[in-house]
Amino acid sequence: MAAPGAAAEGPFLYCRVMNGGARFENGWKNFKPRDFTLPVQTRLHVALSPVRGAGEMLLQAYYDEAGQKMIFCPVVEGPPGKKVACASLYVLQDDLEMGVKRTLDVPRAVQGANISCALDVEKIKK
C-alpha cells in the first residue's frame, strides 16, 4: 500500500462526501461538501472543513478494487498499532460505472453523511 499522498496511477474513483456532521477539535459540526479522487489501492487523506468557522478533520480513505471494499478511518494520534474504528462500504464494478451513493458513518468521526463515487466524474450523484 502506498503512503498517504503518494503519486499513484489509475484507475481512479471520483467521490464526493456531503451532508452530515464531522467531529472537529471543538465538537460536532456540519461540514462542507468535499470532492476527492481516490486512486485504487492507495491510502488518501481527505480533509473535511466545517461549514462555519475554522478547523479540519482528516479521514483516511482506501479502495480495494479486488475486494470491492472502500474503507474510511479517522486520522488519529497514537502509538503504532493503536486500534481505530473504521467504516467499510462494499461496491460492485457495475455500481461504480453507473455511479453509487451510500450513507457514510465513521465511528467517532462522521455521522449521517452521504458519499457518492463513480469511475467517471460526470456520474457522481448529487
Side-chain angles (χ1 to χ4, degrees), residues 1 5 29 49 71 85 88-89 95 117-118:
M1 208 170 351
K29 295 181 177 183
S49 301
I71 302 169
S88 297
L89 302 174
D95 294 332
C117 295

Side-chain angles (χ1 to χ4, degrees), residues 52-109:
R52 291 188 181 89
E56 182 176 82
M57 196 280 288
L58 288 177
L59 285 178
Q60 187 174 99
Y62 177 77
Y63 174 58
D64 175 14
E65 183 180 39
Q68 301 171 331
K69 179 169 57 173
M70 298 173 68
I71 302 169
F72 296 90
C73 304
V75 175
V76 296
E77 299 288 327
K82 177 181 178 177
K83 291 186 179 187
V84 177
C86 300
S88 297
L89 302 174
Y90 296 90
V91 293
L92 299 174
Q93 185 73 18
D94 290 346
D95 294 332
L96 294 172
E97 287 173 6
M98 296 184 321
V100 64
K101 186 174 181 180
R102 301 272 193 269
T103 299
L104 179 65
D105 288 310
V106 181
R108 295 183 288 283

Side-chain angles (χ1 to χ4, degrees), residues 24 30-34 47-57:
F24 296 92
N30 291 338
F31 62 88
K32 297 176 186 173
R34 175 75 159 88
L48 300 179
S49 301
V51 171
R52 291 188 181 89
E56 182 176 82
M57 196 280 288

Side-chain angles (χ1 to χ4, degrees), residues 8-13 38-42 62-66:
E9 295 185 20
F12 299 97
L13 289 184
L38 182 58
V40 173
Q41 297 184 353
T42 302
Y62 177 77
Y63 174 58
D64 175 14
E65 183 180 39

